[in-house]
């Protein structure tokens, strides 16, 4: 898996958009960009994934740069329940987790 | 997203005993599943890749004789921690890979405490 780099922590106000960046400059052609989040003592929850194109689902949007070396996860209207550790992973099949970003959504 | 279940959700055992953890893919057939463990305040660490009908592939530093993996069907993989010791106490998480959609879904985890 390509190594990913994420900021260790971020804050966001409730109701505002949360934009979480991720660098994956060594990503290879067949590797996807995956985003998961984990709330304490639970398994990771799938959020979204993409290969080249931007993706959107009911939870979030994923913006991947044209050179695929970085991406941004966007939670359009953050709520307190979005407080979690967010993991960005570049891989195919076997996924290697980094340290992630602790997102804290405050009132 | 697809549902992956794990059983039990938590287990406490005595040192020296063996513990089996089940991982089931409920919505799709998974030829490949993965096992991770997570220590407090750390990220998930991949332990092994479980392939249906063949031997598991273990990551460097993971003892295959201690962590026995069986993937006998397309919806079930089991991890057996043999002769468990207190240092094996951890949060064990499995995932199932949906190759067709390139999606991977995780189970809720199993908390193992070895006394």
């Amino acid at each position: 898996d390509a190594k990913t780099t994420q900021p260790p922590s971020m804050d966001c106000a409730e109701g505002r958009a949360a934009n979480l960046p991720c660098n994956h400059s060594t990503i290879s052609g067949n590797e996807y960009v995956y985003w998961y989040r984990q709330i304490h003592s639970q398994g990771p929850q799938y959020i979204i994934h993409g290969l080249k194109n931007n993706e959107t689902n009911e939870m979030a949007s994923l913006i991947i740069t044209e050179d695929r070396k970085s991406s941004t996860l966007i939670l359009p209207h953050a709520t307190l329940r979005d407080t979690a550790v967010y993991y960005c992973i570049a891989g195919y099949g076997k996924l290697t987790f980094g340290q992630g970003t602790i997102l804290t959504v405050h009132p | 997203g697809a549902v992956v279940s794990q059983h039990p959700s938590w287990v406490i055992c005595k040192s020296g005993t063996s513990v089996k953890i089940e991982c089931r893919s409920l919505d799709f057939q998974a030829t490949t599943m993965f096992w991770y463990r997570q220590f407090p305040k750390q990220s998930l660490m991949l332990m092994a890749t479980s392939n249906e009908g063949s031997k598991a592939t273990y990551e460097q530093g993971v003892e295959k004789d201690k962590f026995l993996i069986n993937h006998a069907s397309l919806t079930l993989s089991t991890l057996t921690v043999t002769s468990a010791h207190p240092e094996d106490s951890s949060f064990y998480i499995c995932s199932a890979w949906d190759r067709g959609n390139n999606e991977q879904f995780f189970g809720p985890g199993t908390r193992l405490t070895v006394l």
Side-chain angles (χ1 to χ4, degrees), chain A:
Chain A
D1 290 358
K3 181 177 169 56
T4 59
T5 304
Q6 299 178 251
S9 64
M10 292 183 65
D11 287 334
C12 178
E14 189 177 21
R16 306 296 293 267
N19 298 300
L20 289 82
C22 179
N23 286 321
H24 31 79
S25 58
T26 60
I27 192 170
S28 61
N30 68 332
E31 290 181 324
Y32 286 72
V33 178
Y34 295 87
W35 283 85
Y36 291 86
R37 69 182 182 186
Q38 187 179 29
I39 298 169
H40 182 62
S41 294
Q42 297 182 24
Q45 178 189 20
Y46 168 83
I47 301 174
I48 199 166
H49 78 287
L51 184 62
K52 291 187 284 190
N53 300 322
N54 298 336
E55 302 288 344
T56 296
N57 62 20
E58 64 277 5
M59 289 183 68
S61 294
L62 172 61
I63 308 297
I64 303 173
T65 57
E66 193 169 341
D67 62 8
R68 303 215 314 131
K69 293 184 177 182
S70 65
S71 62
T72 301
L73 178 74
I74 301 173
L75 306 178
H77 305 287
T79 70
L80 299 178
R81 286 180 296 179
D82 291 323
T83 293
V85 180
Y86 286 76
Y87 295 101
C88 165
I89 304 164
Y92 180 76
K94 190 167 75 169
L95 302 181
T96 302
F97 282 73
Q99 296 306 307
T101 295
I102 300 172
L103 174 68
T104 304
V105 181
H106 51 84

Side-chain angles (χ1 to χ4, degrees), chain A residues 32 34 36 38 92-93 95 98, chain B residues 36 38 43 46 101-102 104 107:
Chain A
Y32 286 72
Y34 295 87
Y36 291 86
Q38 187 179 29
Y92 180 76
L95 302 181
Chain B
Y36 296 80
Q38 185 175 32
S43 186
L46 179 66
N101 294 312
N102 289 302
Q104 192 167 143

Side-chain angles (χ1 to χ4, degrees), chain A residues 40-41 99, chain B residues 37-43 89-91 111:
Chain A
H40 182 62
S41 294
Q99 296 306 307
Chain B
R37 64 181 165 183
Q38 185 175 32
F39 294 106
K41 299 188 186 302
Q42 295 186 22
S43 186
S89 298
S90 189
F91 192 49
R111 176 79 54 193

